[in-house]
């Protein structure tokens, strides 16, 4: 392993000379660096802003905007969420969502937000489409038009030749609250196959050809008489299908009186119910004008819709129009009870095809009847964009993500597989969406224990797959809220479960000690977001997904596990993408104006056990693209292939897909990879290599964007366990390309001095990152021709205006080779020994419950500590203290007589510092910008001869205090470790000019 403190090149030295060093930067880089250092409002992170509906005090809200703005955030999304508080306590009748007080509060907030002027930009306000989620409308009848609908079934068994006489079987499942009407959709009899196991809970096998429609045998009194055919053995099932409202209400209500019911997401009537409610009950001229001028986003949360079997009144008609057959003939296959299928056909191939057809129609309806009309209404009426989380059902969410203005994912349910984000962002990138959003930092049972480091570890990987807008989850209204009896006041998601569990994190706000440092975190995110919005994203390859799910937890064959570690950068492509305008091939690249995929990889459907499934349309479309020169890699054997849908399969489609595949495989740009392990070999045979070559497989991931002659790279060490330390080779477009590094913590920009240019012109550079750290690089034409270091035996190097230098914390003779061929020998001697900071004073400000839930009282504690340090949470009497510890230590530096061209400096090493919450460093009163995942900090620029003072501020979470003050909710959580620990050292170095 390399010495950790040298993993980082010396920023501060460079910053101190940044004004003079900037003149070395080409003008394009200088321009970017100005905005990067102070990112514009529209690139800053946002907050979910949780309101207890209209039960808010405007003065408090306006001060919250100031608080959020000065913390470095660019806006907030108003979202009426109060899971910690029973809705009935919040006066839903007069102060509910959409009530007059609510509208007035939104207006007041918009007035201030729109007139907020930070460098000419407003504070952005986004609005959730309704109370909590899913989308709902007050007073919508669950029985009537526009509310969510389902199909439910009743069944009765009839023996061979037997007779059923009686009322039509009623649905098994109970009606939702508020649902009155159930209408008979159809009544059918199906023969049960003799191979069907008569076990409770087992899927019943029906003979798929046996359906008898007996709907018209029902008499005026709802009674039926039916005699089962005597021609076949086995039994018969009479299945009744009923449509009714789901009666679903938005989570954790009531939010309104009359009650809000979830809309039908598959009908225009459902969407119209939403826009009509806004038009008629919420939008007055003032509000409309303010929303128009603020031009934020309307937000819709994930599709957490509940139904036995999703239905919409026009489904049968739409289904026949799109699939060419009657949905009633496959209806048993679609029935679900607690999400499990009830019936299958003896021909199982048909069963999966029917489900595919059903969901592809539901997908199309969601887009055509919900997303597009809503988007158009938001645009024309409110001048707002539509931001939504288009997943949660088995729909082709990628198709939805590609039409939304701003597709959004979430760190909570996406954790564990970065492909969840990747499927979202690559769908957006296909249609050149420049903003890919994330609901970020919700942690189950994580309330009041989220540290900055935890946020970074959870969210940095998302930057490597193109996420570039984080909506922090979240900021709760800070005023008084009825029902909130415990300190530190209202938090939308904490505590939960009747006050017995911590609930979801985080409750960001001035009540937490870490808020003292929040602007460091905010500006980091803003700079990352600024950087990751430059240019157009580019990928090496696309992985074709039959289903186009987002957030399924399933990745891409070979690429997710192996390819990515070998430098292959990929996205997902779903069927709808290939039908889009941008789906053309130019110079072998798919969607050349967008992601520019160099190849398409086609494998079986992972959601059908890897079965080789493709629609007739797709086999044709992929063939067309291959004909235009797109490289296609078909994985595995495709001799046994099925068409995608039941409609296709029953019409001989599978044979056509099989012959289409044979034709496809005969094309010059198409290859078969016998197994997934051959994919890379085949790609190389087709002449494709990763854009960035890794010299060693690793957890390094990158997002690549391109803009004229600039290449932007966002590098992330994507594993919690594994850092990165190896060379990578970047593409070169011309001989005079240089590498620039943008530091999101300091805002500094510098030209990289140590790299090599290979004979083929590509640039070879060492990447060193700790687990989950990021690095931002730009490859750009350089100004003039600079001299750089090809190799040095010293550990570090850098550049200031007067030239290159090397850096070492050890005595010795070092050899440095420059690109002009010069080899330089440097002798560094007399480096002082590392200094252990032995004596410390700690002033601890404790945050404690005051006389009311909203009040915090502060107490101070002082301790004199000696090295090795013990965290304050392990010191006597301080275990329950959450707060801010300010640590102070002093040390002395003797004058050094260094040869000309050599300067002294030092690295400050602080073990595990990011684990308490957040921290800030000061040396002789000057703040040192610090990566919250780092332990080694260059403090050279702030040091002087004689006495030096170090101050380290450690801000904790509130958890340890809450474990005591609210034992019922937090008592079962594990205490966090707060404060400095171990030995803090100052490790001197010398920097010597070379060349
Ligand atoms: C709103 O809050 C302000 C500031 O705390 C207070 O002065 C005012 O009385 C409050 N207004 C209402 C209606 O409670
Ligand atoms: C049951 O009926 C089916 C179709 O009519 C037939 O193929 C099968 O052999 C029969 N099985 C028995 C056990 O009679």
């Amino acid at each position: 392993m390399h010495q950790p403190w040298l993993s980082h090149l010396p920023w501060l030295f460079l910053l101190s000379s940044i004004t003079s060093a900037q003149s070395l930067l080409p003008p394009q880089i200088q321009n970017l660096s100005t905005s990067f250092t102070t990112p514009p409002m529209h690139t800053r992170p946002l907050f979910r802003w949780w309101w207890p509906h209209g039960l808010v005090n405007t003065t408090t809200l306006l001060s919250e905007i100031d608080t959020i703005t000065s913390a470095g955030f660019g806006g907030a999304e108003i979202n009426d969420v109060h899971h910690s508080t029973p809705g009935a306590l919040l006066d839903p009748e007069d102060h509910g969502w959409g009530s007059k007080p609510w509208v007035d509060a939104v207006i007041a907030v918009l007035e201030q937000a729109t007139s907020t002027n930070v460098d000419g930009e407003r504070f952005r306000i986004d609005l959730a489409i309704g109370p909590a989620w899913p989308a709902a409308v007050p007073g919508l009848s669950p029985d009537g038009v526009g509310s969510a609908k389902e199909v439910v079934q009743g069944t009765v068994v009839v023996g061979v030749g037997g007779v059923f006489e009686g009322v039509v079987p009623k649905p098994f499942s109970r009606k939702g609250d508020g649902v009155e009407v159930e209408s008979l959709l159809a009544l059918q009899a199906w023969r049960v196959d003799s191979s069907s196991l008569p076990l409770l809970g087992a899927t019943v096998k029906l003979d798929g050809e046996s359906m008898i429609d007996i709907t018209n045998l029902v008499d005026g009194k709802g009674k039926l008489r039916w005699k089962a055919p005597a021609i076949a053995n086995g039994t018969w099932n009479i299945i009744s299908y009923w449509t009714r409202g789901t009666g679903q209400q938005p989570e954790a209500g009531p939010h309104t009186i009359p009650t809000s019911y979830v809309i039908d997401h598959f009908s225009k009537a459902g969407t119209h119910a939403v826009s009509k409610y806004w038009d008629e009950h919420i939008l007055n001229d003032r509000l409309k004008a303010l929303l128009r001028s603020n031009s934020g986003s309307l937000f819709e949360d994930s599709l957490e819709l509940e139904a036995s079997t999703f239905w919409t009144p026009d489904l049968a008609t739409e289904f026949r129009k799109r699939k060419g057959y009657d949905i009633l003939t496959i209806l048993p296959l679609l029935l679900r009870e607690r999400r499990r299928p009830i019936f299958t056909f003896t021909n199982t191939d048909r069963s999966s095809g029917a489900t595919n057809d059903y969901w592809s129609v539901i997908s199309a309806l969601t887009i055509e009847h919900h997303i597009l009309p809503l988007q158009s209404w938001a645009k024309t009426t409110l001048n707002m964009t539509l931001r939504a989380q288009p997943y949660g059902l088995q729909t082709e969410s990628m198709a939805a993500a590609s039409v939304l203005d701003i597709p959004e994912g979430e760190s909570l349910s996406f954790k564990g597989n970065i492909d969840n984000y990747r499927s979202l962002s690559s769908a957006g990138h296909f249609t050149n969406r420049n903003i890919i959003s994330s609901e970020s930092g919700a942690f189950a049972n994580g309330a009041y224990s989220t540290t900055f480091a935890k946020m970074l570890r959870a969210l940095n990987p998302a930057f490597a797959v193109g996420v570039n807008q984080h909506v922090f989850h979240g900021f709760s209204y800070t005023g008084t809220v009825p029902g909130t009896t415990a300190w530190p006041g209202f938090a939308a998601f904490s505590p939960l479960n009747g006050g017995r569990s911590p609930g979801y994190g985080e409750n960001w706000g001035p009540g937490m000690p870490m808020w003292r440092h929040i602007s460091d975190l905010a500006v980091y995110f803003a700079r990352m977001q600024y950087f990751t919005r430059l240019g157009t994203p580019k990928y090496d390859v696309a992985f074709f997904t039959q289903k186009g799910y987002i957030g399924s937890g399933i990745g891409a064959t070979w690429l997710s596990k192996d390819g990515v570690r070998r430098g292959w950068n990929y996205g997902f492509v779903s069927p709808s993408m290939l039908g889009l305008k941008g789906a053309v091939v130019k110079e072998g690249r798919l969607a050349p104006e967008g992601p520019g995929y160099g190849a398409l990889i086609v494998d079986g459907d992972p959601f059908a056990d890897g079965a080789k499934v493709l629609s007739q349309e797709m086999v044709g479309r992929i063939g067309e693209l291959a004909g235009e020169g797109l490289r296609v890699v078909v994985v595995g054997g495709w001799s046994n292939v099925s068409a995608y849908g039941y409609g296709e399969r029953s019409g001989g489609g599978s044979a056509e897909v099989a012959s289409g595949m044979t034709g496809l495989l005969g094309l010059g740009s198409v290859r078969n990879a016998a197994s997934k392990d051959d994919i890379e070999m085949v790609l190389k045979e087709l002449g494709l290599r990763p854009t960035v070559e890794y010299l060693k497989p690793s957890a390094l991931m990158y997002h690549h964007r391109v803009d004229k002659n600039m290449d932007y790279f966002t590098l992330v060490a994507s594993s919690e366990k594994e850092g990165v330390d190896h060379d990578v080779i970047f593409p070169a477009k011309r001989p005079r390309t240089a590498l620039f590094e943008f530091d999101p913590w300091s805002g500094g920009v510098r030209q990289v001095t140590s790299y090599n240019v290979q004979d083929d012109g590509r640039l070879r550079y060492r990447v060193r990152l700790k687990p989950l750290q990021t690095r931002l690089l730009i490859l750009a034409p350089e100004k003039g021709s600079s001299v750089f270091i090809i190799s040095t035996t010293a550990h570090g190097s850098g550049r200031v205006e007067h030239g290159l230098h090397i850096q070492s914390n050890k005595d010795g003779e070092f050899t440095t080779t420059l690109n002009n061929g010069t080899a330089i020998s440097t002798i560094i001697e007399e480096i002082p020994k590392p200094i252990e900071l032995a004596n410390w004073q700690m002033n601890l400000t404790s945050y404690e419950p005051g006389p009311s839930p909203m009040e915090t009282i502060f107490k101070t504690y002082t301790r004199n500590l000696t090295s090795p340090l013990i965290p304050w949470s392990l010191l006597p009497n301080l275990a329950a203290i959450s707060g801010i510890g300010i640590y102070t230590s002093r040390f002395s530096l003797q004058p050094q007589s260094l040869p000309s061209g050599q300067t002294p400096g030092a690295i400050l090493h602080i073990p595990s510092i990011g684990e308490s919450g957040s921290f800030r460093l000061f040396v002789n009163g000057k703040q040192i910008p610090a990566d919250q995942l780092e332990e080694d900090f260059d403090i050279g620029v702030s040091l002087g001869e004689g006495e030096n003072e170090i101050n380290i501020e450690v801000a904790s979470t509130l958890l340890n205090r809450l474990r005591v003050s609210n034992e019922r909710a937090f008592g079962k959580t594990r205490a966090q470790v707060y404060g400095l620990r171990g030995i803090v050292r100052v490790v001197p170095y010398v920097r010597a000019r070379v060349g």
Side-chain angles (χ1 to χ4, degrees):
M1 270 314 274
H2 60 98
Q3 299 230 20
W5 66 268
L6 291 163
S7 65
H8 229 58
L9 288 165
W11 285 109
L12 288 144
F13 189 53
L14 292 153
L15 271 182
S16 67
S17 52
I18 199 148
T19 32
S20 51
Q22 278 232 340
S23 60
L24 289 171
L25 300 173
Q28 288 162 294
I29 299 287
Q30 278 183 44
N31 292 343
L32 291 178
S33 88
T34 308
S35 304
F36 177 76
T37 307
T38 312
M41 278 295 269
H42 68 271
T43 67
R44 298 182 190 177
L46 309 172
F47 264 119
R48 285 253 146 92
W49 191 11
W50 293 311
W51 287 21
H53 306 307
L55 224 49
V56 283
N57 175 327
T58 307
T59 314
T60 307
L61 292 174
L62 299 187
S63 81
E64 288 172 4
I65 292 186
D66 290 339
T67 303
I68 293 172
T69 311
S70 51
F73 290 76
E77 164 208 305
I78 300 172
N79 206 326
D80 285 30
V81 172
H82 52 77
H83 283 49
S84 59
T85 310
L89 296 181
L90 302 178
D91 184 18
E93 176 140 34
D94 293 323
H95 287 86
W97 179 84
S99 62
K100 175 146 194 323
W102 183 87
V103 170
D104 290 345
V106 173
I107 287 176
V109 157
L110 276 162
E111 275 169 350
Q112 169 148 328
T114 311
S115 64
T116 296
N117 185 333
V118 180
D119 300 326
E121 284 194 273
R122 95 295 189 209
F123 182 88
R124 166 189 176 148
I125 292 290
D126 289 1
L127 273 179
I129 189 172
W133 73 93
V137 171
L140 190 65
S141 162
D143 293 325
V145 174
S147 56
K149 297 293 183 284
E150 64 180 350
V151 165
V152 289
Q153 72 283 349
T155 58
V156 67
V157 179
V158 188
V160 180
V163 174
F164 173 80
E165 193 157 12
V167 289
V168 173
K170 287 283 175 205
F172 293 137
S173 65
R174 271 198 8 209
K175 290 197 284 254
D177 287 343
V179 180
E180 303 287 339
V181 181
E182 282 171 339
S183 320
L184 187 67
L185 174 70
L187 192 64
Q188 300 169 343
W190 294 80
R191 193 182 68 80
V192 179
D193 191 75
S194 53
S195 66
S196 192
L197 296 173
L199 296 174
L200 205 65
T203 313
V204 177
K205 271 196 207 167
L206 302 178
D207 172 355
E209 310 296 334
S210 67
M211 185 191 94
I212 304 172
D213 184 345
I214 53 175
T215 317
N216 56 12
L217 298 184
V218 182
D219 70 14
K221 294 182 185 134
K223 287 199 171 154
L224 166 76
R225 184 177 193 284
W226 181 71
K227 183 173 185 334
I231 46 165
N233 56 31
T235 54
W236 287 78
N237 251 352
I238 294 177
I239 309 175
S240 63
Y241 308 91
W242 304 81
T243 56
R244 67 185 188 196
T246 66
Q248 188 181 0
Q249 298 175 23
E251 281 211 13
H255 304 277
T256 55
I257 288 179
T259 308
S260 293
Y261 285 97
V262 172
I263 58 156
D264 176 358
H265 279 73
F266 319 123
S267 73
K268 284 188 177 152
T271 308
H272 183 66
V274 174
S275 54
K276 183 165 175 271
Y277 193 86
W278 279 82
D279 286 331
E280 291 178 359
H281 297 272
I282 297 181
L283 295 170
N284 55 38
D285 290 347
R286 182 76 189 128
L287 179 54
K288 217 189 285 192
L290 284 163
L291 285 170
R292 290 193 68 85
S293 75
N294 190 276
S295 63
S297 294
L298 204 61
F299 170 66
E300 185 169 358
D301 217 314
S302 53
L303 298 171
E304 292 168 41
L305 303 176
E306 287 159 16
S308 295
T309 301
F310 296 97
W311 196 257
T312 183
D314 285 342
L315 187 57
T317 317
E318 293 288 348
F319 192 92
R320 177 175 286 286
K321 198 168 89 193
R322 290 155 202 268
K323 295 293 164 192
Y325 68 102
D326 187 351
I327 193 172
L328 295 183
T329 63
I330 57 161
L331 210 42
L333 301 171
L334 306 178
L335 299 176
R336 293 288 179 276
E337 224 163 54
R338 295 200 194 88
R339 288 171 203 203
R340 288 195 38 231
I342 303 162
F343 297 106
T344 181
F345 286 170
T346 38
N347 181 340
T348 49
D349 193 40
R350 290 204 171 177
S351 303
S352 63
T355 318
N356 288 347
D357 281 342
Y358 169 74
W359 282 112
S360 79
V361 173
I362 295 280
S363 297
L365 295 181
T366 310
I367 293 172
E368 292 168 32
H369 291 175
H370 183 71
I371 293 177
L372 293 175
L374 192 60
Q375 191 171 33
S376 148
W377 172 78
K379 181 83 212 147
T380 49
T381 309
L382 304 173
N383 188 33
M384 290 173 91
T385 50
L386 181 62
R387 169 166 60 87
Q389 300 179 353
Y391 48 84
L393 299 178
Q394 286 166 268
T395 50
E396 189 190 350
S397 308
M398 286 180 63
S402 74
V403 303
L404 283 165
D405 298 302
I406 304 178
E408 182 168 290
E410 62 181 82
S411 64
L412 178 66
S413 76
F414 282 14
K415 73 171 186 294
N417 190 341
I418 195 68
D419 282 332
N420 292 332
Y421 274 122
R422 201 189 292 269
S423 47
L424 176 90
S425 58
S426 45
H429 291 157
F430 206 98
T431 46
N432 299 91
R433 299 301 190 258
N434 196 39
I435 307 221
I436 309 296
S437 187
S438 167
E439 170 189 330
S440 292
F443 298 105
N445 284 319
Y448 299 105
S449 63
T450 309
T451 63
F452 283 13
K454 185 172 180 179
M455 288 293 279
L456 294 166
R457 291 190 181 117
L459 304 173
N460 275 342
F463 285 117
V465 293
V467 171
N468 55 14
Q469 170 173 293
H470 289 275
V471 184
F472 277 37
H473 181 279
F475 189 104
S476 301
Y477 174 66
T478 56
T480 306
V481 175
T484 300
T485 52
W487 181 80
F490 174 67
F493 286 106
S494 178
L496 290 186
N497 195 15
R500 284 187 297 275
S501 67
Y504 292 91
E506 188 45 66
N507 195 39
W508 297 96
M512 54 164 42
M514 293 185 300
W515 194 257
R516 182 179 176 98
H517 303 149
I518 190 70
S519 60
D520 296 2
L521 191 67
V523 77
Y524 168 83
F525 274 88
R527 287 176 183 141
M528 293 295 292
Q529 295 184 173
Y530 171 78
F531 189 89
T532 50
R533 293 180 196 185
L534 299 169
T536 307
K538 295 290 170 193
Y539 296 90
D540 295 327
V541 294
F543 183 79
F544 178 80
T545 146
Q546 284 85 348
K547 297 256 170 32
Y549 293 162
I550 287 174
S552 67
I554 301 276
T557 308
W558 179 76
L559 289 162
S560 305
K561 214 165 149 275
D562 301 315
V564 69
R565 292 185 61 84
R566 301 168 63 79
W568 290 93
N569 191 16
Y570 63 95
F572 291 89
V573 160
S574 71
S576 295
M577 320 274 102
L578 296 186
L580 292 167
K581 267 209 320 281
V584 295
V585 180
K586 208 167 114 192
E587 289 162 14
R589 295 272 163 183
L590 172 62
E593 305 300 320
Y597 295 111
L600 183 67
I601 298 180
V602 181
D603 194 4
D605 179 2
F607 301 98
D609 294 327
K612 301 299 196 273
V613 177
L614 211 55
S615 69
Q616 284 167 278
E617 188 190 354
M618 279 305 110
V619 79
R621 192 66 196 112
I622 294 169
E624 278 166 24
L625 296 167
E628 291 168 31
L630 179 64
R631 301 171 188 90
V632 176
V633 177
V634 176
V635 185
W638 281 70
S639 52
N640 190 4
V641 56
S642 297
Y644 188 70
Y646 171 87
E648 295 180 279
R649 288 179 194 177
S650 52
S654 296
E656 276 190 39
V657 174
S659 82
M661 269 326 264
T662 310
L664 181 68
L665 285 163
L667 296 175
S669 63
V670 182
R671 291 280 188 291
N672 186 232
S675 82
K676 65 184 172 57
D677 300 321
D678 295 334
I679 292 175
E680 184 167 45
M681 184 188 77
V682 169
L683 285 169
K684 288 187 172 164
E685 269 172 34
L686 288 166
L688 196 69
R689 266 157 217 290
T691 305
V692 178
E693 194 179 324
Y694 294 5
L695 272 284
K696 187 178 128 193
S698 83
L700 180 63
M701 288 199 330
Y702 71 90
H703 183 56
H704 178 208
R705 300 173 77 97
V706 173
D707 187 6
K708 294 186 209 90
N709 52 12
M710 314 255 265
D711 285 84
Y712 309 98
F713 289 99
T714 302
L715 311 186
V716 182
S718 65
S719 158
E720 181 114 22
K721 299 183 194 88
E722 191 189 337
V724 172
D725 185 6
H726 60 80
D727 281 6
V728 302
I729 301 176
F730 287 114
K733 291 182 173 164
R734 59 183 60 70
R736 299 252 57 97
T737 301
L739 200 54
F740 301 89
E741 184 173 349
F742 282 57
D743 179 4
W745 290 104
S746 70
V749 174
R750 66 181 188 98
Q751 185 170 348
V752 175
T753 47
S754 191
Y755 57 94
N756 203 349
V757 177
Q758 306 198 132
D759 292 343
D760 62 8
R762 292 188 298 160
L763 199 148
R764 180 166 170 160
Y765 163 79
R766 187 82 168 177
V767 180
R768 290 193 180 102
L769 292 169
K770 289 188 174 153
L772 298 165
Q773 277 184 330
T774 54
R775 172 139 324 142
L776 305 178
L777 296 170
I778 298 185
L779 217 60
E782 69 180 331
K783 187 181 170 189
S785 67
S786 54
V787 178
F788 54 87
I789 296 170
I790 289 178
S791 68
T792 176
T793 53
H795 285 119
S797 63
R799 184 201 299 272
V800 286
E801 192 161 38
H802 44 273
L804 301 168
H805 64 255
I806 57 167
Q807 179 176 314
S808 181
N809 62 347
K810 285 203 202 81
D811 298 354
E813 184 172 352
F814 301 96
T815 309
T816 305
T817 310
L818 305 182
N819 62 318
N820 59 16
T822 322
I824 297 153
S825 170
T826 311
I827 294 173
I828 295 179
E829 36 189 38
E830 253 203 90
I831 298 182
K833 292 213 160 36
I835 303 161
E836 174 175 344
L837 299 180
N839 298 304
W840 292 86
Q841 190 181 63
M842 177 184 66
N843 288 315
L844 183 55
T845 303
S846 170
Y847 284 46
E848 300 180 14
S852 79
M854 309 307 298
E855 286 172 90
T856 298
I857 53 173
F858 302 99
K859 290 188 188 150
T860 54
Y861 300 82
T862 301
R863 295 282 189 279
N864 290 317
L865 305 170
T866 53
S867 186
L869 293 159
I870 296 170
W872 88 61
S873 53
L874 302 179
L875 292 175
N877 307 323
L878 301 182
I881 293 202
S882 290
I884 298 163
I886 299 183
Y887 289 80
T888 304
S889 184
R890 294 183 185 82
F891 64 98
S892 205
L893 288 175
Q894 301 311 313
Q896 270 176 279
S897 54
L898 292 168
S900 128
Q902 296 197 1
T903 46
I907 299 291
L908 182 65
H909 174 76
I910 314 171
S912 305
I913 183 167
E915 306 311 323
S916 303
S918 61
F919 65 90
R920 260 183 193 168
L921 308 181
F922 298 85
V923 176
N924 295 322
K926 197 166 171 225
Q927 193 188 342
I928 310 286
D931 182 342
Q932 302 278 318
L933 297 177
E934 192 48 76
E935 297 187 324
D936 297 284
F937 309 94
D938 193 322
I939 58 171
V941 70
S942 304
L943 294 175
E945 282 174 11
E947 190 174 75
N948 289 277
E949 184 179 284
I950 306 269
N951 304 106
I952 305 174
E953 292 182 4
V954 178
S956 78
T957 68
L958 279 183
L959 186 74
N960 286 8
R961 169 58 63 190
L962 283 164
R963 291 176 75 245
V964 176
S965 72
N966 187 353
E967 206 186 330
R968 189 157 177 261
F970 296 93
K972 287 198 268 311
T973 58
R974 203 156 42 132
Q976 289 179 298
V977 178
Y978 298 152
L980 295 186
R981 62 193 89 182
I983 297 170
V984 178
R985 274 199 183 84
V986 174
V987 184
Y989 61 71
V990 164
R991 198 169 267 176
R993 206 179 331 149
V994 290

